[in-house]
Amino acid sequence: MLLGYLASGWAAGADEPGAPQPAGSGILILERSRAMVHDFTEGVARHVDGWFGDKPFEQGGKVSGSIGFKFLTRQHESPDASFRFGAKLDMPNVKEKTYLFFGQENERELLIDQPEPFTRRELLLAEDRRQDQTFFAGVGYALRDNIDFRAGLRSGIKPYAHARYKKAWALGEHDRIDLRETIFWNRKDGVGSTTALSFGHGFTRTLAFRWQLAGTISDETDGLAWANSMGIFKNFGDQHTLSLEALIGGATAGSDNVSETGVRAVWKQPVYRDWTLVELSLGHFWPQGDAKDEDRRGWALGVGFEILF
């Protein structure tokens, strides 16, 4: 079978400032912070759900999401930190397959529905938080298990829309192909599409090979922006995973199709229960073509922290 990896301070009491904190107070703060985010998100869901009817929220209502921080640095560049937040709200008074969502994300990647392995965050690239980050909110509708429609607004009341199709094929006991096709629209790009394709082969129950490709084209682009990765994924159990990948990316519009090559190693594991995850990333990247610059080649390091709620 394919590796499972592929399936994919408020302390109790009123302590005075500066007073010694009891052992484990950091864990208590973490749990209470997570509970506060969950309760706030659920409160929003209950309030909005009440606009559509009187059915109790407990009858099918739920919220889920994550908060992520990542600190990264590339050789010859200044260190950077990024923040991600996303939540999905399922509400009983809204139609069964309709849901709301909101959060904060890289604006460009949100608009084109960029696959996670090829985001700037995972490629250890710095972001301008004022220009690259955006708040967003919207409504989604799952027409079928593999067809999903989303429409939303991002910062500045700018609309965007997605129509996403997902399909998986099992090629025997050890091989699998996954396809995700997104047709998108926004004012900046017009109409476009992002295609993501993944092939996985399981050597054992804990060791697998994965080949991932993604390409984006729109009315405003002169060619196809593409990315490709191949690597080995190892599952050590209890959500402890290690991956080693070779990466290449570029665009067909320039004089040189390839803009960068690189290698990336990622270790991921829970640090407290199964909802607090840490990720360590180490990479080395080589700019190519028009972007080639010996001063830009070098090592990159990332430390990520994610809380699921």
Side-chain angles (χ1 to χ4, degrees):
M1 295 176 63
L2 273 177
L3 170 63
Y5 183 91
L6 298 179
S8 270
W10 302 278
D15 294 333
E16 293 294 329
Q21 295 297 311
S25 61
I27 295 300
L28 182 59
I29 291 173
L30 183 64
E31 289 190 336
R32 292 202 170 191
S33 299
R34 175 179 181 256
M36 288 179 64
V37 173
H38 181 275
D39 291 347
F40 169 78
T41 306
E42 184 174 303
V44 172
R46 288 177 178 271
H47 181 72
V48 174
D49 189 48
W51 300 345
F52 298 91
D54 299 323
K55 191 175 182 179
F57 187 78
E58 288 73 17
Q59 295 183 18
K62 67 176 182 177
V63 300
S64 61
S66 66
I67 302 172
F69 304 89
K70 191 159 191 175
F71 303 90
L72 59 89
T73 182
R74 277 201 179 198
Q75 198 172 352
H76 313 301
E77 297 183 11
S78 300
D80 185 56
S82 62
F83 171 77
R84 296 287 190 277
F85 170 72
K88 180 181 176 181
L89 289 61
D90 295 310
M91 299 173 294
N93 283 305
V94 182
K95 289 185 178 180
E96 181 180 352
K97 296 186 178 181
T98 303
Y99 58 90
L100 300 183
F101 59 89
F102 63 90
Q104 181 176 337
E105 185 59 88
N106 177 283
E107 182 172 29
R108 177 65 181 168
E109 293 163 359
L110 170 73
L111 294 179
I112 68 173
D113 198 21
Q114 180 77 312
E116 182 71 13
F118 305 117
T119 61
R120 294 183 64 87
R121 173 187 174 93
E122 294 304 311
L123 294 175
L124 303 176
L125 289 166
E127 295 179 322
D128 185 324
R129 286 182 291 277
R130 292 184 177 180
Q131 297 183 12
D132 296 335
Q133 294 282 306
T134 186
F135 289 97
F136 63 90
V139 59
Y141 179 74
L143 179 62
R144 298 179 181 177
D145 291 340
N146 59 348
I147 300 178
D148 191 57
F149 297 97
R150 282 189 170 196
L153 299 174
R154 62 192 196 277
S155 297
I157 318 299
K158 302 172 184 176
Y160 71 96
H162 289 160
R164 182 192 294 170
Y165 171 79
K166 295 186 294 183
K167 181 68 174 179
W169 295 270
L171 306 179
E173 185 178 0
H174 301 285
D175 300 295
R176 174 187 173 108
I177 293 179
D178 291 273
L179 170 69
R180 190 180 84 184
E181 180 71 31
T182 300
I183 306 298
F184 61 81
W185 171 86
N186 61 76
R187 290 181 177 177
K188 180 179 180 180
D189 298 281
V191 177
S193 71
T194 295
T195 303
L197 186 65
S198 173
F199 167 76
H201 172 76
F203 298 107
T204 69
R205 295 183 63 88
T206 63
L207 182 66
F209 165 81
R210 193 182 224 187
W211 180 19
Q212 302 174 95
L213 306 95
T216 297
I217 192 168
S218 71
D219 289 341
E220 293 299 309
T221 62
D222 295 326
L224 177 73
W226 59 273
N228 189 335
S229 75
M230 291 192 296
I232 296 294
F233 295 78
K234 173 67 175 177
N235 188 336
F236 295 91
D238 298 326
Q239 298 187 74
H240 290 65
T241 59
L242 174 66
S243 62
L244 301 172
E245 298 172 89
L247 305 147
I248 184 170
T252 60
S255 57
D256 296 283
N257 287 339
V258 179
S259 61
E260 185 173 69
T261 59
V263 292
R264 176 177 64 197
V266 180
W267 171 261
K268 193 170 186 178
Q269 70 170 72
V271 290
Y272 179 66
R273 298 189 177 176
D274 60 352
W275 47 263
T276 308
L277 306 173
V278 67
E279 179 183 279
L280 302 177
S281 305
L282 178 65
H284 195 284
F285 299 90
W286 296 267
Q288 304 292 326
D290 296 336
K292 192 170 185 178
D293 184 345
E294 292 298 322
D295 292 335
R296 291 185 56 200
R297 62 181 295 179
W299 295 96
L301 175 69
V303 180
F305 186 73
E306 185 176 24
I307 299 174
L308 309 178
F309 64 86

